[in-house]
Amino acid sequence: MSFNPASQNIAIVIVAAGRGERSGFSKPKQYLPLMGTAVLTRAIEAFQSALPNAIIQTVIADGDILLFQEAVGNRPGLQDAVTGGANRQASVLQGLKALQPHNPDIVLIHDAARPLVSSDLIERVLSHVESGVGVVPGLPVADTLRKCNDSFLGETVSRDGLQAMQTPQAFPFAGILAAHLSAIENAYDNLTDDAEVFRKSGGKVLCVIGDRLNLKLTYPEDFKYAERIMGQEFETRTGQGFDVHAFTDGDEIILCGVPIPHSRSLKGHSDADVGLHALTDAVLGALADGDIGQHFPPSDPKWKGVSSDIFIKEALARLKARRGRLLHVDLTLICEQPKIGPHRQDLRTSIASLCGLEIDRVSVKATTSERLGFTGRGEGIAALATATISLPAAP
Ligand code: MG
């Protein structure tokens, strides 16, 4: 019998229970950010994008639930995390047991510390699974291998036939679960990977070509290397936005979400937050995704009087949907009155909070127009914004 991945129920165990003793990091490496997103989250997202219908079971260390929730949160298709065991083998077994009620045909077992796993590799591994046959990705060893004792050189080890093992490793679900249970019965309790567990119970394991970019993050420099690889796949874009609102009778204006007492109000269909409107258009501009009027037509009564944080949040949701990230915003407000200076910090804090940015990535500037033009005559406020974003580069 051969498996056809397209017609099979596929499940994934992502093992994230390690403590990262080798790395010397402040917290377990699977929860550290890699280009702004936790390593474990990136691993989960890689599988969700390659196999949108698969069930994903994460295994975490006892006591890491808060770290997990902070990094990953709740996602459709993701099972509640289960607690692992004393070592990797024991943790995988907990993940497999949790998948039993779903009775998948195939399971992929993956280390969270490999967040750069590609769809190509996942498909390559899956396409070779058969009844009684597991699949591992391996890479021929490139470096000369030599034993060192107390820093002194010992014997050279022949590279002939040696392969470095990666994950994901794919197996028929029932077969690998039985192999894990039998390993425990036979007191094989610290095997380093699932291929070894499967082999010990008589299963065959096919080695397919791995992926050199599927790095295992172990040491701090591995993070730098991974970010360098990922950086090449991102591009930086800027967008601009401009908006004007006229003054009308009133005693308060809303700027960047902050109410500011004033002898006038701003006139508009929504709350007339000229700063947030310019910022929203700047983000949409960087995405080349229309403008605020197109997404929120003033003719639609739905937007009457609404708070403008809705607009910037929608633009940021569009940015997130394209896996982009806001890096920096720069806003210039042009008016004679009110004086912006005394409110500048409040405006920056409000924008930083709305946009999920650090305060030093938010600039608010103000100028008059030297009493020239409509802003100079005190008829309204103009705002000019620039947004800089990072976006995955088109393939
Ligand atoms: Mg406007």
Side-chain angles (χ1 to χ4, degrees), residues 89-232:
Q89 185 187 338
S91 292
V92 171
L93 179 56
Q94 293 311 312
L96 293 172
K97 282 181 173 170
L99 284 172
Q100 257 182 312
H102 303 281
N103 195 25
D105 299 304
I106 302 177
V107 64
L108 288 155
I109 302 171
H110 186 67
D111 290 331
R114 294 186 189 270
L116 302 189
V117 57
S118 69
S119 295
D120 280 354
L121 181 63
I122 293 169
E123 280 167 28
R124 183 149 72 239
V125 170
L126 267 180
S127 66
H128 289 86
V129 182
E130 283 181 43
S131 180
V133 179
V135 183
V136 299
L139 285 173
V141 177
D143 298 324
T144 293
L145 298 179
R146 212 165 264 154
K147 290 195 171 169
C148 290
N149 303 316
D150 300 328
S151 304
F152 285 98
L153 216 56
E155 279 182 33
T156 299
V157 178
S158 168
R159 284 187 311 223
D160 268 4
L162 284 190
Q163 298 246 346
M165 296 292 103
Q166 298 190 324
T167 67
Q169 304 186 349
F171 305 91
F173 178 76
I176 189 68
L177 177 60
H180 266 275
L181 293 171
S182 131
I184 296 301
E185 252 173 48
N186 290 297
Y188 297 127
D189 57 6
N190 201 6
L191 301 175
T192 55
D193 73 355
D194 305 286
E196 193 55 17
V197 172
F198 200 61
R199 246 171 44 85
K200 281 268 192 269
S201 76
K204 274 194 204 161
V205 182
L206 182 73
C207 192
V208 297
I209 190 80
D211 179 354
R212 295 216 179 264
L213 299 183
N214 180 25
L215 302 179
K216 183 171 185 179
L217 302 180
T218 309
Y219 302 102
E221 53 268 41
D222 297 335
F223 278 70
K224 284 187 193 155
Y225 184 39
E227 287 187 338
R228 218 172 282 171
I229 292 169
M230 296 166 74
Q232 287 163 3

Side-chain angles (χ1 to χ4, degrees), residues 243-245 277:
D243 196 31
V244 170
H245 280 266
H277 293 183

